[in-house]
Amino acid sequence: VHVVESGGGLVQSGGSLRLSCVASGDTFRGLTVTWARYTPEKGSEWLSAILSDGRTYYADAVKGRFAISRDKSGDTVFLQMNNLKPEDTAVYRCATGGTVDGNYNVYFSPPPYAYRGQGTQVTVSS
């Protein structure tokens, strides 16, 4: 699925942004969609995922601040980011895929190379 990310920008610490991930020319219906971010210093960091049935998963670093959702059409997934911090500065990318354990307790992100979109830059100033 070809994805297009948008919604990034420059925001002050404590601010909010909502990122969008669109299935360009395709659909996310029936698929898991996941977000990760990349910085040269830290590399790729998984953030959040949403299954086709709506179950959501979050990394500890963003739990309670970020919220993932999908629209009713199934073609767009959002990442609402609140209380942003300077350490959230990164390029944010989305992808499809990943797996969950048998009890749906743990989500396993696809590898970094699966996040192939151009991404959207988020910069948080202190």
Side-chain angles (χ1 to χ4, degrees), residues 22-107:
V22 175
S24 178
D26 211 319
T27 180
F28 287 142
R29 280 190 289 270
L31 299 178
T32 295
V33 180
T34 177
W35 283 94
R37 62 190 177 192
Y38 176 82
T39 62
E41 298 77 22
K42 298 180 183 178
S44 183
E45 178 185 19
W46 172 76
L47 301 173
S48 182
I50 184 166
L51 305 189
S52 58
D53 65 2
R55 294 180 211 239
T56 58
Y57 301 84
Y58 297 95
D60 288 343
V62 303
K63 198 173 294 183
R65 298 190 298 126
F66 291 12
I68 192 170
S69 62
R70 56 201 309 161
D71 73 345
K72 293 181 180 179
S73 73
D75 297 335
T76 304
V77 170
F78 303 102
L79 186 67
Q80 176 68 42
M81 307 188 299
N82 299 323
N83 190 22
L84 284 162
K85 306 174 183 180
E87 52 264 42
D88 293 318
T89 295
V91 176
Y92 286 66
R93 295 188 175 97
C94 60
T96 58
T99 59
V100 293
D101 71 329
N103 294 321
Y104 289 88
N105 289 330
V106 181
Y107 169 81

